[in-house]
Amino acid sequence: MSNKLNAVGILGIGSYLPEKILTNQEIEKIVDTTNEWIVTRTGIGARHIADENMAASDLATEAAKKALKDANTLPEEIDLIIVATVTPDMHFPSTACIVQMNIGAKNAAAFDLGAGCSGFIYGLTVAKQFIETGMYKKILVIGAEALSKVLDWTDRNTCVLFGDGAGAAVVGPTDEGMGILSTYMGADGEGGKFLTIPGGGSRIPATLESVKNKLHTIKMDGSEVFKFAVRIMNRASQEAIDRSGYSLEDINYLVPHQANIRIIEAAAKKLKLPMDKVHVNLNRFGNMSAASIPVALDEAVRQGKIKKGDLVVMVGFGAGLTWGSSVIKWNK
Ligand code: UT7
């Protein structure tokens, strides 16, 4: 048996957004905010919202079906399903197991991964190890979020920021020198308090009191997360580029986490990339946590902004605090 590691790439990609769109103008009627504040402070103009009866697994399932089709892969060929999410359908079973059932991937193992908005990069990193060693051939990595379900719709600090959606990728072997060239993950638990859903777990179980106090909704210290994000986006991107063996000048396209246009612009500036080389969709989708990066990647590929052979940097940060980055030489 050879010790040589397989090259690993994205064989197919897909995304799904629920139909309903909530504009800033509509949010103006819900909380004390203005379209002007939201656009100038964040860049967000609208977000998609899942129906009452739609959970993260439903969004994930639709995205997974599209990725399978794009990869020309049957559900039975999938060895593992990883769903990165902070809004699982329930504590257990995992959302990944529900997706496994929904798509009929009966040969797949399945688990959820909790790394906040960095979840998709974390998932890709995990998948890469299994494919590299030859243990698995095809892995579905999905970022899926129904964040509208865990927002406090009376808190203007958070409810204007987030949206629902899912993106999925089929990960498998590719040609030498192509595909996922590097990944980098990091965490800082000290900053966990800045972005959290405190209630509903084993620390603060759901009680009438905890629900009344809305402890099952997102709490965020926006300016602390902002400072961290600006710092980490640049550092994490640079680290992934260094590990890839390429340099900054070689990068063709940046697919960043979609939290705030000011954070993205700061990262692009430090990386000396003009904004037409940076994917931005938060104006239409808001921040979809673990779904933001795969949805943006799917869109960029479909719009022809990423072509075979292009060097793409993906970078994200989020609850944990966590961060993750990756350089891909697009192999499709
Ligand atoms: O995926 C990772 C998760 N999150 C993030 O990445 C978020 C990172 N942080 C941010 O994007 C920004 O910090 C925010 C967009 C959340 C906030 O922008 P900011 O420029 O840092 O504003 P701020 O928190 O300093 O608040 C400025 C003011 C405050 O009023 P006072 O206290 O100065 O009177 C807020 O109450 O803006 C007020 N404010 C709003 N006003 C109108 C906060 N939210 C709103 C709102 N509409 N929706």
Side-chain angles (χ1 to χ4, degrees):
M1 198 179 134
S2 129
N3 286 329
K4 200 166 165 301
L5 296 174
N6 297 318
V8 183
I10 291 180
L11 311 181
I13 186 158
S15 57
Y16 178 76
L17 280 307
E19 255 171 49
K20 187 178 164 205
I21 296 171
L22 184 66
T23 61
N24 288 351
Q25 286 75 10
E26 287 166 296
I27 285 203
E28 283 179 354
K29 295 181 195 140
I30 304 174
V31 281
D32 179 18
T33 190
T34 60
N35 173 52
E36 206 240 325
W37 190 96
I38 303 172
V39 170
T40 51
R41 305 310 293 164
T42 73
I44 296 167
R47 67 291 290 144
H48 288 238
I49 302 287
D51 284 349
E52 208 177 310
N53 56 3
M54 202 179 244
S57 70
D58 301 312
L59 307 173
T61 298
E62 295 309 314
K65 284 181 188 165
K66 291 188 184 176
L68 285 171
K69 188 159 180 246
D70 190 46
N72 206 8
T73 293
L74 295 171
E76 297 80 9
E77 293 176 62
I78 297 295
D79 300 305
L80 173 65
I81 299 172
I82 302 172
V83 175
T85 185
V86 295
T87 50
D89 289 24
M90 57 194 85
H91 281 301
F92 60 85
S94 69
T95 301
C97 281
I98 300 169
V99 172
Q100 188 241 19
M101 171 186 72
N102 288 352
I103 63 173
K106 55 180 190 291
N107 299 312
F111 65 85
D112 287 358
L113 186 157
C117 311
S118 317
F120 183 75
I121 305 280
Y122 268 59
L124 271 191
T125 310
V126 174
K128 184 171 182 273
Q129 316 307 308
F130 285 116
I131 308 282
E132 255 174 8
T133 56
M135 178 166 169
Y136 288 144
K137 284 272 176 300
K138 288 186 181 175
I139 299 178
L140 250 179
V141 180
I142 306 170
E145 303 287 8
L147 290 154
S148 63
K149 315 274 179 170
V150 295
L151 290 173
D152 175 354
W153 287 98
T154 64
D155 176 15
R156 69 178 184 177
N157 291 295
T158 52
C159 77
V160 304
L161 303 174
F162 298 97
D164 301 337
V170 177
V171 179
T174 189
D175 296 333
E176 195 57 41
M178 300 294 280
I180 306 169
L181 302 182
S182 68
T183 61
Y184 166 56
M185 302 186 289
D188 173 14
E190 296 283 344
K193 57 184 175 290
F194 298 136
L195 180 51
T196 173
I197 295 180
S202 57
R203 177 67 63 194
I204 306 174
T207 59
L208 284 178
E209 193 66 12
S210 73
V211 172
K212 196 176 103 217
N213 292 329
K214 299 187 174 164
L215 298 182
H216 58 289
T217 61
I218 294 180
K219 312 289 171 210
M220 183 174 73
D221 183 332
S223 63
E224 285 295 339
V225 179
F226 190 93
K227 282 185 269 175
F228 154 73
V230 170
R231 222 173 37 239
I232 208 67
M233 290 281 270
N234 182 46
R235 207 184 99 199
S237 305
Q238 193 57 61
E239 183 65 34
I241 295 168
D242 292 345
R243 290 178 185 204
S244 75
Y246 284 90
S247 57
L248 200 52
E249 297 71 46
D250 301 318
I251 300 305
N252 300 104
Y253 206 66
L254 176 68
V255 179
H257 176 49
Q258 307 283 315
N260 189 313
I261 190 67
R262 293 183 288 142
I263 295 172
I264 295 175
E265 283 171 352
K269 197 168 165 205
K270 287 211 173 110
L271 293 170
K272 299 192 180 72
L273 276 176
M275 284 306 285
D276 64 338
K277 297 278 181 203
V278 181
H279 205 78
V280 176
N281 63 17
L282 54 70
N283 49 322
R284 287 171 289 127
F285 303 147
N287 178 349
M288 298 183 288
S289 188
S292 274
I293 290 178
V295 168
L297 185 65
D298 180 45
E299 228 183 27
V301 171
R302 258 158 246 304
Q303 291 172 357
K305 294 190 174 141
I306 296 175
K307 291 181 266 328
K308 190 168 180 177
D310 279 353
L311 274 179
V312 181
V313 176
M314 297 186 289
V315 60
F317 60 90
L321 299 170
T322 60
W323 56 93
S325 53
S326 175
V327 172
I328 301 195
K329 195 169 172 77
W330 197 249
N331 53 279
K332 244 176 89 72

